[in-house]
Amino acid sequence: MRETAPVRYDQDRDTWDVFRYEDVYRVLSDHTTFSSNRNAVLRSNQSSDNASLIAMDPPQHTKYRNIVNRAFTPKRVQDLAPRIEEITRELLDAVEGTGEVDLIREFAGPLPVIVIADILGIPAADRHLFKEWSDKLVESPHAQHDEAYQASMMEKARVSQELGAYFKKQLDARRVTPGDDLLTVLLEAEVEGERLNEQQLLSFCLLLLVAGNETTTNLITNAVRAFAEQPELQTKLRENPDLIPSAVEEALRYYSPVAAIPSRFATQDVELGGQWIKQGDQVVAWLNSANRDEAKFPNADQFLVDRNPNPHLAFGWGIHFCLGAPLARLEGQIALKAIIERMPNIRFKAGTELQPVTSTLVFAVKELPI
Ligand code: HEM
């Protein structure tokens, strides 16, 4: 597509697909022309005051992002390293000697959920509840149409409500007794004398789960999948563990967990890649295609653990650049270092046929039996 139809109109979905690195970069960098706020662009009457951060434009986005940035400073994230190492160790200890594991169920699934629950300050006793809710929230609907799809969306709405009520209780408790956790930081964070209101706090907590858990699970799983497919990568990393951070970046580029950013809306008629996109049209930025663009990455279809530079777009770009990127990178580095050290010969279980997750916006498999 990058060669033959780099910007193409998809009649069935009524969207513009953008495939080349250069064009994806432009869409993500130019938030004035390519807005994240459907309601503003389509001049709908719906208020966007309580919208999620990811669907806001400046100036609302700038203000809100400045508040939540407080919770994800480099120091705050770096301080989490010992705790992430401990959780990693516990999860890997539990499967040591078993020979065969589904990496997602035993390790890559639970790790980010436990980490975020810890950061938020969720009591350990409630962790199982929290994991059930957040799993349900990110579960891909298995049926694309009809009643099963409706039922799955209704179930998600119900779970969001339950989780919302739970977060509300936790927030109320911290109003009385502040803790040393992210919920307290979010409650207290101020920009220009303003704090987040209750609705914004709840919607941000839900966004953290939706945006942060499945993506980090898929980063770790996709990297280990590449290691199983190309065992020479394991050898290289065992000989040179300093390359782990660069291997994490390459995994993000090579098997990008977020395949596409689906929601940008043209605020005016604009030319892109030789096509005229009309005001109000929806644009889909294909990160996985941009990250394999030969015009930007020499030998783009090879997994090079020491690729440098590696300006991939797996975390997006511009004002919506992933807020959790430092945390995802840290979790990925700690997890892969431990896996490479503790699993001397990673192979797929005999007869494995990988099942892709059904959503086209996510690049992931349902299980990784190794
Ligand atoms: C935004 C990818 C992990 C929180 C984004 C965007 C991408 C992305 C592509 C941009 C969306 C857009 O432009 O519309 C990823 C990947 C991850 C990851 C690949 C893991 C490998 C996390 C984690 C968290 C997180 C761990 C938090 C705990 C967010 C938030 C935004 C975001 C809050 C919205 C930022 C904004 O709109 O200003 N992420 N993410 N992400 N991500 Fe991540």
Side-chain angles (χ1 to χ4, degrees):
M1 299 310 286
R2 284 188 299 273
E3 263 177 30
T4 52
V7 174
R8 114 183 142 169
Y9 178 64
D10 178 338
Q11 217 151 13
D12 295 337
R13 294 197 167 110
D14 191 19
T15 53
W16 289 93
D17 291 315
V18 180
F19 295 110
R20 281 186 184 156
Y21 185 99
E22 191 189 347
D23 295 332
V24 168
Y25 183 86
R26 183 170 155 215
V27 167
L28 300 180
S29 309
D30 182 359
H31 61 264
T32 317
T33 310
F34 300 100
S35 160
S36 293
N37 185 344
R38 177 197 298 263
N39 294 336
V41 173
L42 302 181
R43 302 215 172 80
S44 123
N45 292 327
Q46 250 174 297
S47 152
S48 59
D49 279 355
N50 290 326
S52 170
L53 177 70
I54 217 157
M56 289 175 187
D57 284 339
Q60 193 194 13
H61 176 268
T62 321
K63 194 158 108 187
Y64 192 113
R65 174 113 184 186
N66 281 338
I67 298 178
V68 295
N69 265 343
R70 303 281 164 96
F72 283 87
T73 58
K75 171 154 174 24
R76 273 200 158 260
V77 172
Q78 204 48 51
D79 285 351
L80 297 168
R83 182 65 189 124
I84 299 173
E85 281 162 1
E86 191 182 320
I87 300 167
T88 299
R89 206 166 32 245
E90 282 169 15
L91 289 170
L92 290 180
D93 282 351
V95 294
E96 181 136 288
T98 52
E100 258 174 37
V101 284
D102 170 9
L103 191 83
I104 299 182
R105 202 182 50 211
E106 306 295 344
F107 180 75
L111 178 71
V113 179
I114 300 174
V115 170
I116 198 74
D118 252 40
I119 300 175
L120 286 165
I122 303 300
D126 293 350
R127 206 181 270 161
H128 66 285
L129 268 178
F130 187 76
K131 171 143 174 49
E132 263 169 43
W133 283 324
S134 65
D135 280 354
K136 285 203 178 130
L137 219 51
V138 295
E139 220 165 61
S140 322
H142 293 298
Q144 293 296 327
H145 303 288
D146 63 29
E147 286 149 30
Y149 181 80
Q150 288 285 341
S152 143
M153 296 324 268
M154 276 164 71
E155 172 68 0
K156 280 194 186 194
R158 191 189 61 75
V159 170
S160 301
Q161 261 181 4
E162 267 182 39
L163 196 53
Y166 178 81
F167 274 131
K168 190 169 159 3
K169 242 176 42 199
Q170 294 289 328
L171 286 164
D172 287 345
R174 279 158 188 80
R175 285 197 179 95
V176 182
T177 321
D180 177 24
D181 54 39
L182 182 58
L183 287 179
T184 306
V185 173
L186 290 172
L187 264 177
E188 292 178 352
E190 271 185 28
V191 165
E192 297 159 21
E194 237 182 89
R195 292 187 180 186
L196 297 178
N197 66 32
E198 177 108 341
Q199 187 54 43
Q200 290 168 327
L201 277 166
L202 293 177
S203 108
F204 184 65
C205 290
L206 289 178
L207 175 62
L208 285 184
L209 301 189
V210 176
N213 286 343
E214 198 187 9
T215 45
T216 309
T217 297
N218 294 338
L219 159 61
I220 297 167
T221 312
N222 291 351
V224 175
R225 169 186 175 176
F227 298 167
E229 287 168 342
Q230 303 174 51
E232 67 279 10
L233 299 177
Q234 300 175 39
T235 318
K236 266 197 188 150
L237 290 172
R238 275 189 201 102
E239 281 166 5
N240 197 346
D242 290 351
L243 287 177
I244 295 275
S246 131
V248 169
E249 298 309 306
E250 184 66 342
L252 284 160
R253 183 193 71 84
Y254 186 82
Y255 279 155
S256 306
V258 176
I261 296 181
S263 304
R264 291 294 192 269
F265 301 89
T267 55
Q268 55 191 298
D269 294 359
V270 56
E271 202 232 296
L272 187 72
Q275 301 283 347
W276 273 98
I277 295 177
K278 291 258 179 305
Q279 192 268 336
D281 284 359
Q282 184 170 355
V283 174
V284 182
W286 286 95
L287 304 180
N288 58 354
S289 167
N291 284 340
R292 293 285 190 109
D293 191 338
E294 283 281 343
K296 190 70 185 177
F297 301 98
N299 303 313
D301 288 336
Q302 287 177 29
F303 191 117
L304 303 176
V305 284
D306 51 359
R307 186 180 288 278
N308 184 21
N310 191 350
H312 66 74
L313 300 175
F315 289 120
W317 195 253
I319 60 167
H320 290 278
F321 181 81
C322 177
L323 179 75
L327 177 61
R329 286 183 157 129
L330 184 65
E331 284 184 53
Q333 289 169 13
I334 291 173
L336 293 184
K337 181 163 179 290
I339 286 172
I340 282 290
E341 271 170 13
R342 295 183 58 167
M343 299 185 177
N345 182 9
I346 303 167
R347 295 283 184 277
F348 292 124
K349 183 178 160 188
T352 294
E353 275 185 37
L354 296 176
Q355 301 286 323
V357 166
T358 29
S359 164
T360 49
L361 300 177
V362 171
F363 185 82
V365 288
K366 290 180 182 163
E367 292 176 346
L368 194 74
I370 51 164

